[in-house]
């Protein structure tokens, strides 16, 4: 059962498809960019506050994809893939356990573009999020005793992409067997955002001196932006357990999906300096000073991962529960589940340059039932 906090969001109409899993009934509730989630060339807001509150006047068209039709299989036989980022017409895909970055072309041709040094895979750690900006590939990975963000100059042309020598952007992000966060994306303000888990130590989420249990915001060089909510700190929001997907709506509103513990998983609107409650609260708490999710549901139903926003709809990949959830931002309680148990676990979702919606399955990560062709990238065309 999903539970909803009333949310005056974008004044959008969302087109959802028939022949899908039925929408979950609304339950009584207390009042309350993929790396391709945003266009970095968009004019930046004047400050981080410009990303805090959804606009009530936006009128972007909703997007619909033929999710009830057979998808195009872009490629298959990937090993624990984690993230998709696009560079021109080529996709770059990280493999968590092998530390490989693969170049995937639209026709399904796959080649190894890079092997990231120093990556240590243990549990949920390894090679995680990717983002591309201005000729650089940004990489979030687990190393010895830490998670870190590096960037690599990109070399070659599509079909023969490679990377140069790494440059450290940020290190010292807490790491553990699980709760490593790992998603990175550039926001519409041109800043780099990263999700950092609590590394299994819940108290880190509320410690503003720690990078754990946070969403971080930095310049492309890893410096602290002058308009960050806490002076001299990369912390953008805190009180997170294990935030996963991040994306921005057309009006600049930032959204994040988050793994809960035993009670509620969450979809949140991210406010600069916001306290999201962990490890004192989980889900809708109605506590002064804490920000409640706009959507919550039991972890046993669907565990969220990457998200992408297209038009007025947020698409959320889910691992446990094996589904793609479509959430109309104007009316989150009208969410509809697609592909339920049809393709297995789904790790990431991204809008491709040709307008297709790509999903990345994740059945070879040790927690899924891998088929002969797993893992796969599947593409759904617009209706």
């Amino acid at each position: 059962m999903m539970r909803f906090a009333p949310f005056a969001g974008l004044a959008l109409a969302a087109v959802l498809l028939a022949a899908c899993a039925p929408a979950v009934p609304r339950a009584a509730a207390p009042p309350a960019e993929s790396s391709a989630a945003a266009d970095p060339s968009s004019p930046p807001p004047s400050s981080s506050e410009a990303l805090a509150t959804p606009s009530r006047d936006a009128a972007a068209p909703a997007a619909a994809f033929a999710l009830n039709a057979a998808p195009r299989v872009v490629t298959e036989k990937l090993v624990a893939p984690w993230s998709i980022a696009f560079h021109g017409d080529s996709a770059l895909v990280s493999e968590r356990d092998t530390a490989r970055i693969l170049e995937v072309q639209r026709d399904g041709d796959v080649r190894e573009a890079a092997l990231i040094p120093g990556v240590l895979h243990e549990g949920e750690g390894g090679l995680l999020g990717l983002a591309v900006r201005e000729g650089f590939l940004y990489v979030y990975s687990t190393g010895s005793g830490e998670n870190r963000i590096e960037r690599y100059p990109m070399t070659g042309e599509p079909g023969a992409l490679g990377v140069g020598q790494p440059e450290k952007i940020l290190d010292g992000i807490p790491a553990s067997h699980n709760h490593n966060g790992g998603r990175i994306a550039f926001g519409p303000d041109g800043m780099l955002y990263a999700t950092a888990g609590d590394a299994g130590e819940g108290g880190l989420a509320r410690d503003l001196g720690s990078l754990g249990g946070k969403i971080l915001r930095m310049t492309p060089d890893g410096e602290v932006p002058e308009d960050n909510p806490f002076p001299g700190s990369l912390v953008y929001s805190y009180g997170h357990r294990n935030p996963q997907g991040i994306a921005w709506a057309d009006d600049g509103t930032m959204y994040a999906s988050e793994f809960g513990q035993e009670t509620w998983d969450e979809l949140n609107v991210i406010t600069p300096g916001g306290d999201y409650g962990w490890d004192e609260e989980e889900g809708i708490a109605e506590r002064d000073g804490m920000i409640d999710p706009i959507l919550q549901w039991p972890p046993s139903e669907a565990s969220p991962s990457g998200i992408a926003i297209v038009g007025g709809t947020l698409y959320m990949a889910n691992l446990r529960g094996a589904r793609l959830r479509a959430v109309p931002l104007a009316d989150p309680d009208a969410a509809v589940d697609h592909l339920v148990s049809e393709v297995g676990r789904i790790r990431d979702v991204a809008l491709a340059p040709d307008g297709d919606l790509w999903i990345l399955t994740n059945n070879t990560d040790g927690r899924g039932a891998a088929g002969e062709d797993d893992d796969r990238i599947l593409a759904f065309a617009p209706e």
Side-chain angles (χ1 to χ4, degrees):
M1 176 186 70
M2 277 188 283
R3 191 180 187 198
F4 306 93
F7 172 57
L10 309 175
L12 304 168
V15 179
L16 295 173
L17 305 174
C20 307
V24 182
R26 180 170 182 161
E33 221 16 64
S34 81
S35 48
D39 178 2
S41 66
S42 299
S46 58
S47 73
S48 60
E49 291 296 332
L51 302 181
T53 306
S55 167
R56 303 187 184 194
D57 301 318
F65 295 90
L67 297 174
N68 59 330
R72 175 173 61 89
V73 178
V74 178
T75 193
E76 55 192 22
K77 299 186 184 302
L78 305 178
V79 180
W82 210 91
S83 179
I84 304 172
F86 289 95
H87 179 63
D89 291 331
S90 291
L92 297 169
V93 177
S94 60
E95 288 188 330
R96 185 192 68 186
D97 302 356
T98 68
R100 295 195 306 166
I101 293 178
L102 305 177
E103 180 184 7
V104 181
Q105 296 185 290
R106 193 181 188 282
D107 62 5
D109 182 62
V110 179
R111 54 176 294 277
E112 182 179 307
L115 183 66
I116 301 301
V119 174
L120 297 180
H121 162 57
E122 180 182 2
E124 297 173 1
L127 180 59
L128 304 178
L130 303 177
V132 175
R133 182 177 175 85
E134 295 181 349
F136 287 96
L137 175 64
Y138 289 75
V139 176
Y140 186 117
S141 66
T142 309
S144 179
E146 65 175 3
N147 288 302
R148 71 276 176 94
I149 300 172
E150 300 170 305
R151 71 178 176 189
Y152 293 77
M154 301 199 66
T155 63
E157 299 297 326
L161 293 176
V163 300
Q165 293 300 306
E167 175 186 358
K168 181 180 72 176
I169 297 299
L170 178 65
D171 58 8
I173 303 171
S176 183
H177 186 82
N178 51 23
H179 301 190
N180 289 293
R183 198 72 58 182
I184 55 176
F186 281 92
D189 55 358
M191 297 294 115
L192 178 64
Y193 293 74
T195 68
D198 68 5
E201 298 182 36
L204 296 183
R206 310 194 63 73
D207 178 0
L208 292 178
S210 170
L211 298 177
K214 311 293 191 301
I215 292 177
L216 308 174
R217 178 177 184 256
M218 66 202 78
T219 71
D221 297 324
E223 302 297 325
V224 177
E226 292 183 359
D227 58 349
N228 264 12
F230 303 103
S233 172
L234 295 174
V235 173
Y236 191 68
S237 62
Y238 67 103
H240 297 286
R241 180 176 180 267
N242 194 16
Q244 289 293 296
I246 49 177
W248 289 261
D250 290 340
D251 70 344
T253 302
M254 183 180 182
Y255 294 81
S257 60
E258 182 161 345
F259 286 134
Q261 184 169 350
E262 298 175 350
T263 309
W264 301 112
D265 285 340
E266 301 177 354
L267 177 64
N268 288 295
V269 169
I270 301 302
T271 299
D275 174 3
Y276 289 82
W278 182 256
D279 66 334
E280 294 183 6
E281 300 290 350
E282 188 176 352
I284 297 171
E286 291 190 286
R287 280 185 57 178
D288 289 345
M290 292 184 180
I291 299 174
D292 285 338
I294 63 167
L295 199 60
Q296 65 179 24
W297 59 93
S300 59
E301 176 186 302
S303 291
S305 189
I307 63 175
I309 297 174
V310 186
T313 301
L314 182 148
Y315 294 91
M316 182 189 304
N318 287 272
L319 297 162
R320 187 190 300 180
R323 65 196 62 198
L324 181 70
R325 178 162 288 166
V327 182
L329 297 180
D331 186 13
D333 62 351
V336 173
D337 289 343
H338 303 267
L339 308 176
V340 179
S341 300
E342 292 182 16
V343 301
R345 293 158 60 86
I346 304 176
R347 174 66 71 175
D348 201 10
V349 56
L351 182 66
D354 64 1
D356 285 356
L357 190 72
W358 283 24
I359 67 168
L360 184 64
T361 69
N362 206 213
N363 298 311
T364 59
D365 71 344
R367 295 181 176 178
E372 180 180 345
D373 297 329
D374 282 324
D375 269 308
R376 301 183 291 168
I377 296 175
L378 306 175
F380 293 87
E383 279 199 319

